[in-house]
Amino acid sequence: MVVAKNGTYFERLARKLNEAEKGPDLFEAIVNAPFIDKSRTVMIELGIVVLLLANPKTKTIDRIALSQTEQAEGAVRMSAKPFSDIKIPIGHRSNIVAKAILSNQPQQAADWRYLFEPALTPREARANQAGAGIDCSVVYPLAGTPDGGALIYSFFQMPEFIGPRHHAFMRRYARLVSKRLSAA
């Protein structure tokens, strides 16, 4: 493992999350921190991180924060609905975000219809994906949220190329985020 002057990559990520205030500041740090070292994100071909939290009052999974990357901007530009208006029913069985939260197991899709249904039509979801230039997204559930939550990691990699180093990163970062959210 390479150690930079200011600590390892994951130490820097943890520091970035710990320095963030509660609420929107923390949420923005969560989705943008992985991009503090472009060489790391380019190496695993990561393009977007999304934070989602379950809302027990509305019984929906709400999109809370989206990374500030060109790919995320492309998805937002192509979206039929504003980012914050895309809400998924918690129990929707064919949505992989709901599946990940309910099963506490990562879920993966090459077609964004499975990330957005029923809030967007398959065509609308695929337009978002095309605007982002993303090949595959993986949803990791978060253990540190009282009502449930997840991170979506979107890659410029086809599903068959998402391997152990990708999952090691996603798992480790999801644990960091879970720990920080449980402390907030």
Side-chain angles (χ1 to χ4, degrees):
M1 181 183 287
V2 177
V3 178
K5 287 182 186 176
N6 53 357
T8 68
Y9 177 60
F10 276 96
E11 287 170 348
R12 290 179 15 227
L13 290 176
R15 195 167 38 253
K16 187 96 169 151
L17 297 182
N18 289 331
E19 290 169 355
E21 299 286 326
K22 285 183 186 180
D25 187 45
L26 174 58
F27 301 151
E28 291 300 317
I30 288 168
V31 297
N32 289 311
F35 300 97
I36 60 173
D37 184 341
K38 295 283 189 206
S39 65
R40 290 284 185 147
T41 52
V42 166
M43 195 166 56
I44 61 171
E45 299 188 68
L46 180 65
I48 303 172
V49 176
V50 182
L51 172 65
L52 307 107
L53 296 175
N55 182 334
K57 291 178 185 163
T58 61
K59 296 187 181 345
T60 58
I61 302 165
D62 300 344
R63 281 164 166 70
I64 304 299
L66 174 69
S67 55
Q68 295 171 347
T69 64
E70 288 179 42
Q71 295 73 32
E73 289 172 16
V76 168
R77 208 172 22 258
M78 295 297 290
S79 187
K81 289 184 180 179
F83 175 78
S84 60
D85 288 352
I86 299 171
K87 299 184 186 301
I88 307 301
I90 290 173
H92 199 280
R93 296 280 180 206
S94 57
N95 181 287
I96 67 168
V97 177
K99 281 184 186 178
I101 293 171
L102 294 171
S103 71
N104 201 33
Q105 296 296 315
Q107 303 291 317
Q108 180 173 301
D111 185 338
W112 275 13
R113 74 175 280 188
Y114 300 108
L115 287 174
F116 287 100
E117 64 184 2
L120 298 179
T121 68
R123 184 180 189 150
E124 291 168 338
R126 290 176 187 130
N128 284 16
Q129 185 173 3
I134 293 296
D135 291 314
C136 180
S137 293
V138 183
V139 182
Y140 262 76
L142 296 172
T145 56
D147 301 307
L151 290 174
I152 299 173
Y153 302 96
S154 293
F155 297 93
F156 313 115
Q157 281 281 2
M158 295 303 288
E160 58 269 21
F161 298 114
I162 302 297
R165 74 172 187 215
H166 297 91
H167 285 283
F169 165 78
M170 291 184 282
R171 187 173 33 259
R172 190 167 178 189
Y173 190 62
R175 275 192 241 134
L176 263 179
V177 169
S178 293
K179 183 177 177 183
R180 179 61 180 99
L181 286 173
S182 66

